[in-house]
Amino acid sequence: MYNAFIIEENEFYYGCVSMKIKYPISLKQILLFSFLIILVLGVSTTLVSTLIRQDDKIKAEENNLTLNGRTAQTVQSAFENIQSNSYIFFKAFSMAQTEAEKNDFINEFFLSNPDVLFVLGGGSGLCINPSYSDYKNDIGFIVQKAALDVILDPQNQNSVYSNISSAFDFPAIMFVYKYGPVNNLCAGIVGMNVSTLCDLMGTGSNNTTVLVDKDAKVLINPDFASAKTEYTEDLPRIKELLENSGESNSQNVDNNFFTAIHQIKDDLFVITKISEKSVYAVINRTTYRIVLFSLAVLFAAIILIRIFSNGITNPIKELVAASAKIEHGEFELDIKPRTRDEIGLLTSSFVQMGKGLSEREKLMTSFSKFTNKTIAQKAASGELTLGGENREATIFFSDIRSFTAMSEKMNPNEVVEFLNAYMTKMVACVNKTDGVVDKYIGDAIMAVWGAPESSGSPAKDALCAVTAALMMRIELFRFNKVRAEAGLPPVRIGCGINSGPVVAGQIGSEDRMEYTVIGDAVNLASRTEALNKPFATDILITENTYNLIKDKIIVEQMPGVHVKGKTEAVKLYAVINITGKGKPESIEEVRKIIGTKAPDLAKVNTDDEEKKYSIQA
């Protein structure tokens, strides 16, 4: 026997060889943790500076472009609305017979359009909104100048806009537009308080929006106090961008700004900008905090690891010596746990392991070779060996619908309790029909009839499988009644059944075996189960199973389904009942029992992700 014991802090005597420890665990822990912190810091910084920054850039561009388009639509709608209303006013005014009627039209127009400062056209003369009577002289001067500068240009059909904010204590514009037949055009002049539009343009957080004309003159600027009247960007370049894109809406990134441009009627441009500095402000602060936090964690970790490393390494050294004894067959150990943590538990396990290692090893070797009670006796008697045999079997799969979403609302104990109650009822149906539960896959059940033993024939095995599924339907209905009384949501399942040749036997290695069935028939059964959801059914069987027992069951044929790996469409049948068993007698009654509605098969989504099948028209 070799023995291992400690000579000094970093040296062991193992057998006849003294082993010097070059790299203590405490040093490794400090180095590893430091490396991980630095790695996390580097990766986090990279993510922030590349991935997240790129994502925020895309979002900022999209938001800027969306805000620009929405503002442009609002501005254009506002101008069109004022033009339409003033045109109606001009027509109505020209038809008025008395001064009283004209005054009524004027008052009603300004009451309905409170943002209009004044209008002129259609023989109405200059009409000023009573709310802005204090600016009467300024308005008269502005209109007179407009009449001199703009008087009808027969070649220009567009409206002419000008910024008249300098004459008021609020932002305002004036536009002259033409209306009437081409051979007898009339001009309408409208002054407008655009404070509301300024408020709208200024609601984009860090975004700034202005309205300019084709000569780059600012018509509306939310920053009313700004003395800037000319737009500093190269407007011809903006026009070129719009022409190259072939659209009235475009966006570019230049000079550390995201700039969105939208061209509206009469060669007006709504321009929205946001600086990259504003977009990346949150990211930069987050990066800074990550660095500080990582450094603080690194510093604290080094101190704590150094403090607690001795409490970890000393018991480990004893375990190293104990493992050497066990390795050479000395199972009686004289070590005792020093702590009440995982290492203490490991020490106790070493002691217990030494006392019953050989017995436990034999027991584990014997019982680790089977996974089902049906073949337990064969496993105990040593009859099971690696390999398999060809069998005709019926394979069954069931699965709980939306179990992931259901389990998220329960704590782990509730999930286990629910599955135990559910599995008890479902597995009883399998056992009563001489089936074998092959395995549990989470909330799913795989069962087999015909392997390792058959009920007598493939047809009897298939009928037993369908009978078990129908029994599950009844048990699930009763189970859901109890859940409903407790105020819990109902549970819905899908069952898929297929019959065909399989290879049945022990799969695995000499050390670990599992009795199961494999083959294309198993895969098709699994895929058949998944089709219950789009077809709003609970039990589906393939044509293989149907042909074995078609005179004993009531079914409803479903549309053909193309399954991956098969050239011909697979026929599927929804099981309604056993022949002569009464209700239900139709698929509608089944759906009423299981709580589903008939789907529109033309709109059924047939698992686009895996693309295992597609519904045949």
Side-chain angles (χ1 to χ4, degrees), residues 2-8 10-20 320-321 324:
Y2 291 96
N3 292 310
F5 55 89
I6 302 168
I7 296 179
E8 56 184 44
N10 293 328
E11 188 173 355
F12 283 93
Y13 183 80
Y14 192 89
C16 298
V17 181
S18 176
M19 300 177 63
K20 185 71 175 179
V320 171

Side-chain angles (χ1 to χ4, degrees), residues 149-426:
D149 294 344
V150 186
I151 292 294
L152 291 174
D153 178 3
Q155 301 302 321
N156 185 11
Q157 298 296 320
N158 290 335
S159 300
V160 179
Y161 296 80
S162 58
N163 190 335
I164 59 174
S165 301
S166 59
F168 303 94
D169 298 328
F170 49 81
I173 65 169
M174 179 182 68
F175 56 88
V176 181
Y177 70 96
K178 300 175 183 180
Y179 62 90
V182 177
N183 57 356
N184 187 25
L185 287 174
C186 296
I189 303 177
V190 180
M192 183 178 177
N193 182 343
V194 291
S195 297
T196 302
L197 291 178
C198 284
D199 293 340
L200 173 67
M201 291 180 176
T203 57
S205 184
N206 295 318
N207 303 75
T208 59
T209 304
V210 296
L211 175 69
V212 301
D213 62 14
K214 62 181 180 180
D215 297 320
K217 292 182 179 180
V218 176
L219 298 177
I220 301 178
N221 185 356
D223 185 9
F224 178 65
S226 175
K228 184 174 69 173
T229 58
E230 298 290 331
Y231 190 65
T232 57
E233 294 289 339
D234 184 4
L235 199 61
R237 185 172 61 84
I238 293 174
K239 291 181 179 180
E240 183 181 349
L241 285 173
L242 293 174
E243 291 173 358
N244 291 339
S245 67
E247 300 178 356
S248 64
N249 204 5
S250 181
Q251 181 164 236
N252 70 302
V253 181
D254 194 14
N255 297 327
N256 299 322
F257 279 91
F258 300 102
T259 304
I261 312 104
H262 197 118
Q263 184 176 6
I264 61 177
K265 288 179 60 178
D266 303 319
D267 285 337
L268 301 181
F269 298 87
V270 176
I271 303 173
T272 305
K273 298 177 66 175
I274 184 172
S275 67
E276 287 186 335
K277 182 178 180 181
S278 299
V279 173
Y280 299 140
V282 175
I283 301 174
N284 293 334
R285 287 196 300 270
T286 302
T287 304
Y288 179 72
R289 290 170 182 170
I290 290 174
V291 172
L292 291 182
F293 178 76
S294 300
L295 293 176
V297 170
L298 177 60
F299 181 75
I302 292 174
I303 296 175
L304 291 175
I305 291 174
R306 183 59 184 172
I307 292 174
F308 292 105
S309 60
N310 290 334
I312 296 175
T313 55
N314 289 338
I316 289 178
K317 292 174 182 178
E318 290 187 353
L319 291 176
V320 171
S323 64
K325 293 182 179 180
I326 293 176
E327 182 180 356
H328 295 90
E330 188 177 340
F331 300 122
E332 295 295 330
L333 305 175
D334 57 357
I335 59 175
K336 295 181 180 181
R338 293 187 179 185
T339 59
R340 301 183 65 180
D341 55 12
E342 290 84 355
I343 296 180
L345 180 62
L346 181 60
T347 303
S348 298
S349 299
F350 259 70
V351 175
Q352 296 300 321
M353 180 177 61
K355 293 180 178 178
L357 186 61
S358 58
E359 290 79 7
R360 292 185 182 184
E361 189 174 20
K362 291 179 182 179
L363 187 63
M364 291 298 295
T365 300
S366 176
F367 283 92
S368 63
K369 292 184 178 181
F370 65 89
T371 58
N372 192 282
K373 292 182 179 180
T374 305
I375 58 175
Q377 293 180 348
K378 292 184 178 181
S381 61
E383 297 179 16
L384 295 178
T385 58
L386 284 175
E389 58 179 341
N390 295 326
R391 301 294 295 259
E392 287 291 329
T394 295
I395 305 93
F396 166 94
F397 279 89
S398 74
D399 186 55
I400 299 176
R401 292 287 169 259
S402 303
F403 178 72
T404 300
M406 183 187 305
S407 62
E408 287 177 350
K409 300 177 182 178
M410 298 185 287
N411 60 47
N413 290 336
E414 290 174 337
V415 173
V416 173
E417 182 179 357
F418 163 76
L419 284 178
N420 286 341
Y422 165 78
M423 293 291 188
T424 298
K425 294 181 178 295
M426 299 299 108

Side-chain angles (χ1 to χ4, degrees), residues 12 70 79 136 143 147 168 178 192 240 247 258 264 270 336 390 401 404 448 459 518 537 561 564 575 577 603-604 611:
F12 283 93
R70 185 168 61 244
F79 289 165
K136 182 176 181 180
V143 172
F168 303 94
K178 300 175 183 180
M192 183 178 177
E240 183 181 349
E247 300 178 356
F258 300 102
I264 61 177
V270 176
K336 295 181 180 181
N390 295 326
R401 292 287 169 259
T404 300
V448 182
I518 59 174
T537 56
V561 174
K564 183 178 180 181
V575 177
N577 207 343
K603 298 180 180 179
V604 167
K611 297 193 179 299

Side-chain angles (χ1 to χ4, degrees), residues 9 21 29 62 90 107 144 196 228 240 250 318 370 381 407 460 532 578 592 609:
E9 182 178 1
I21 298 177
Q29 289 174 327
E62 292 176 349
F90 294 150
N107 293 332
Q144 184 179 8
T196 302
K228 184 174 69 173
E240 183 181 349
S250 181
E318 290 187 353
F370 65 89
S381 61
S407 62
K460 289 183 179 180
N532 281 284
I578 300 292
K592 185 175 181 181
E609 180 179 354

Side-chain angles (χ1 to χ4, degrees), residues 23-38:
Y23 306 104
I25 291 178
S26 60
L27 178 60
K28 291 180 180 179
Q29 289 174 327
I30 292 174
L31 293 176
L32 178 60
F33 202 89
S34 300
F35 171 76
L36 290 176
I37 292 296
I38 295 172

